[in-house]
Each structure stands twice: as C-alpha cells, then as structure tokens.
Amino acid sequence: MDHVGKLSIVENEDQEDTCTTLVLHNEDHTLGNVLRHMLVKNPEVEFAGYSIPHPSENKINLRIQTYETPCLTVMYRALDDTMDVCDHVLGEIDRAEKEFNQQK
C-alpha cells in the first residue's frame, strides 16, 4: 500500500484506474460522507462508498468505481467541489453577518 500523508491507495490485482480503494488517514464520517455524496453526484461514478474498518482506527476506506474516468480524477473533482461548497457557505455566513450587523 502506497502511503503519502493522509492518503494511501490500496493496490489491486487488476491495476484498473476505474476501480480503486483509497485509505484516508486521520479522517472519520465527516469527510467520508461528504466525499461519498460528492462522488455519487458525478455521472462518471458508478459506485462510491466508504467504511470505517474499526471504531478505534482513525481512518476511512473509500471505494470508488467509475465507468471510464480514472478514480483519482473523480476524487480530486469531488475534493474541489467540496471546497467550492465550503467557500460558498462561508461567503453566505459573512454576508448574513454583515446584514445582521447593519440592522443594529
């Protein structure tokens, strides 16, 4: 298993780019559920799911299966989409805070 920082890729026998299991270290349901949601919204993704191997282990296994696009490509897209959503939410919070402070 290759391990670089928070992400490692579980080697599969087929060496298919369209079916991969990733291990995200030091993560839990918070990121796992968000990434799974972003992945299944992508029409290029056939299956996306995650599991936590054991409650005492601080990692998630994320399984991605695509029709043709490499799994890492859709994973990076899901991460980018997640950051875009977070930026939008932060912008809305800032806007609402300014509007609230102006009403005082």
Side-chain angles (χ1 to χ4, degrees):
M1 180 177 351
D2 296 333
H3 179 57
V4 178
K6 292 185 84 115
L7 177 68
S8 55
I9 301 171
V10 177
E11 295 295 327
N12 59 18
E13 295 173 8
D14 299 335
Q15 296 297 325
E16 290 272 334
D17 286 348
T18 60
C19 190
T20 302
T21 299
L22 306 169
V23 179
L24 284 82
H25 301 275
N26 297 317
E27 295 297 343
D28 58 16
H29 288 289
T30 305
L31 184 62
N33 197 36
V34 169
L35 286 176
R36 184 203 57 81
H37 175 76
M38 290 299 193
L39 286 163
V40 297
K41 285 177 40 175
N42 186 335
E44 299 169 15
V45 174
E46 184 175 1
F47 172 82
Y50 78 96
S51 64
I52 295 182
H54 190 274
S56 67
E57 293 184 84
N58 199 19
K59 65 181 181 180
I60 60 173
N61 295 329
L62 181 65
R63 181 74 172 172
I64 304 170
Q65 188 170 336
T66 63
Y67 293 105
E68 293 180 6
T69 307
C71 289
L72 288 178
T73 300
V74 297
M75 173 66 170
Y76 291 135
R77 188 172 304 141
L79 289 168
D80 286 341
D81 292 347
T82 300
M83 289 185 345
D84 291 345
V85 168
C86 290
D87 289 341
H88 175 74
V89 169
L90 287 173
E92 288 297 309
I93 290 171
D94 288 343
R95 183 193 57 74
E97 180 183 27
K98 288 176 186 174
E99 184 179 305
F100 175 78
N101 289 335
Q102 288 176 350
Q103 292 176 358
K104 287 184 178 180

